[in-house]
Amino acid sequence: MVVGEDDGALLAISDLHVTYAENRAIVEGLRPRSPADWLLVAGDVADTVADIEWALGLLSERFAKVVWAPGNHDLWTPSSDPVTLRGVARYRHLVDVCRALGVVTPEDPYPVWRGPGGPALVAPLFLLYDYTWRPEGLDTREAALAEAYATGIVCTDEYLLHPDPYPSRQDWCAARLAETAARLDARDPALPTVLVSHWPLVREPTRILRYPIFAQWCGTDATADWHVRYAAAAAVYGHLHIPRTTWHDGVRFEEVSVGYPREWRRRAVPPGQLRQILPPPST
């Protein structure tokens, strides 16, 4: 299906990483196809609050509505950022920044897309991960982390993504899972959903990672049935930097990452292509 100029569409992108000048230029070039287009941004906009505000501010001026779900980079507290907030306080600060820009966050009422392919409840999710996606034979988080450190494949989250005031990232994840599930359970069951999360809801997309040990920072077993449980018309995610479409239990999963320049330079498809979520694109 080709969307008409005035029809509007639900579009998505993630992992903008505008800290890189090349990626910043990509964001500067993003434009809606129609004044009615919505844009879903599935996390990892940037490493600093100022860059996140710049990118989401620019996009909110161009698209009818922008919906943001945070990624791990958004939640980092790097030494280069004058905003030194950590953990929940940093996330809440980003929510306030988004609200000032008119950007929908996981803390706001879920909007309903009523354009072509709708209606559908658009749910931005902030869920984190809990180290349950471990390689076979590594039965505990401690064993998986020890293997990661031994092989040098360690996510920077271990140094920059602080869970304060929770004692650990997995504890923060558990709290986010409980809070989010309660909201989704209370939704209007007549509406299908579009679930937008930085981390994939199911483990299958991580099976092709070059370093399988990295999957422990990519999601949680707790969401394995959410796409079915919450009647998803589509699930949108990023984080893996492997843009593609997969199907799980009949539900379309869209990985919509831009990724780092060293990654997208190797691809045949030009970077910064917005993925159409609704109406479903023709195959």
Side-chain angles (χ1 to χ4, degrees):
M1 175 177 181
V2 177
V3 177
E5 184 176 86
D6 299 321
D7 292 332
L10 192 61
L11 306 172
I13 198 166
S14 76
D15 296 78
L16 299 171
H17 294 293
V18 302
T19 304
Y20 295 90
E22 301 98 317
N23 285 35
R24 195 177 186 94
I26 290 171
V27 172
E28 288 173 337
L30 293 178
R31 294 290 191 284
R33 305 168 188 172
S34 158
D37 287 348
W38 288 17
L39 182 62
L40 312 178
V41 182
D44 276 10
V45 177
D47 298 354
T48 67
V49 170
D51 280 344
I52 294 169
E53 183 173 12
W54 171 82
L56 292 179
L58 183 69
L59 296 172
S60 67
E61 292 172 357
R62 295 176 176 175
F63 290 82
K65 190 182 292 293
V66 173
V67 178
W68 168 78
N72 54 313
H73 280 249
D74 302 326
L75 300 168
W76 285 359
T77 307
S79 59
S80 59
D81 194 345
V83 179
T84 59
L85 296 169
R86 295 161 52 121
V88 173
R90 188 173 189 86
Y91 170 60
R92 289 288 180 179
H93 180 69
L94 290 172
V95 168
D96 289 342
V97 167
C98 285
R99 285 174 169 168
L101 297 171
V103 172
V104 178
T105 79
E107 304 310 307
D108 298 314
Y110 297 146
V112 177
W113 168 255
R114 299 192 183 277
L121 187 74
V122 178
L125 313 177
F126 170 35
L127 303 174
L128 283 166
Y129 50 84
D130 60 5
Y131 303 88
T132 50
W133 292 357
R134 299 184 292 267
E136 186 175 352
L138 298 175
D139 297 331
T140 66
R141 170 181 171 272
E142 290 73 22
L145 279 175
E147 177 67 15
Y149 278 96
T151 57
I153 310 299
V154 180
C155 183
T156 306
D157 291 5
E158 294 297 314
Y159 309 101
L160 296 182
L161 203 170
H162 306 286
D164 314 22
Y166 293 96
S168 67
R169 281 173 286 278
Q170 59 267 36
D171 288 315
W172 193 5
C173 174
R176 293 301 312 180
L177 287 166
E179 180 178 340
T180 306
R183 288 191 64 191
L184 289 171
D185 286 338
R187 80 196 190 287
D188 179 355
L191 285 176
T193 64
V194 173
L195 302 177
V196 185
S197 172
H198 180 64
W199 296 273
L201 298 177
V202 297
R203 185 172 183 178
E204 282 76 5
T206 71
R207 303 292 185 188
I208 64 169
L209 287 174
R210 178 177 299 179
Y211 302 106
I213 194 70
F214 191 79
Q216 63 188 303
W217 291 283
C218 295
T220 168
D221 285 341
T223 58
D225 68 342
W226 279 29
H227 58 295
V228 175
R229 177 177 169 185
Y230 298 121
V236 177
Y237 68 99
H239 191 55
L240 304 184
H241 295 193
I242 309 173
R244 58 178 179 149
T245 303
T246 56
W247 294 80
H248 306 285
D249 303 303
V251 177
R252 177 167 48 102
F253 277 65
E254 297 282 5
E255 211 279 16
V256 296
S257 297
V258 173
Y260 304 130
R262 68 175 183 272
E263 296 167 329
W264 54 253
R265 287 194 193 105
R266 299 195 297 261
R267 298 174 190 149
V269 178
Q273 301 297 301
L274 298 175
R275 193 76 59 85
Q276 184 172 307
I277 308 303
L278 292 178
S282 58
T283 56

